Amino acid sequence: MDTQPLYAIKADLFKALAHPARLQVLEVLAADPCLTAPVARLLEVTGAEPSALSQHLAVLKRVGVVESSRTGNLVDYRLTEPLVAELLVVARAFLLTRLADGATRSQHDAARHLPPLPGASAQGVLEAAQAAFAGATR
């Protein structure tokens, strides 16, 4: 069985996540109880220019990580899956573990100011994904 296409999809996902501004956007969305934030909030938090943020959001939208909704002139972005928030939790845990092994004082200070994320365990994430996959293939 050829699994290469699945690895290509996963690689595209990780490429889309491979920018600090995109990760920051995703963490802002993940920290919200509804997994949603208006573009104005994302601009405020990232400090990005509107055109640059728009490009980052388009990349995240293209891989299906976020979706948008418009009400009048206001545009909100939302995580498409709570599992994205859990992926960020696992990435945060990995980051903090790495920082514990010799980070600078400024890196430790910066880590303390990261937005809170919902809790998850790597095993819980895997089990949720496997259950979703099993349900989709029935």
Side-chain angles (χ1 to χ4, degrees), residues 33-96:
C34 296
L35 306 176
T36 304
V39 168
R41 171 87 174 116
L42 300 176
L43 285 167
E44 173 190 326
V45 170
T46 63
E49 292 294 321
S51 60
L53 180 63
S54 178
Q55 290 175 2
H56 289 307
L57 290 167
V59 169
L60 295 172
K61 221 174 163 178
R62 194 169 31 253
V63 296
V65 175
V66 299
E67 59 189 10
S68 64
S69 62
R70 178 182 293 274
T71 306
N73 290 335
L74 301 176
V75 179
D76 289 331
Y77 276 83
R78 182 177 84 73
L79 292 180
T80 57
E81 270 294 329
L83 284 173
V84 175
E86 293 183 11
L87 175 65
L88 294 170
V89 169
V90 173
R92 171 83 58 90
F94 178 79
L95 168 70
L96 295 176

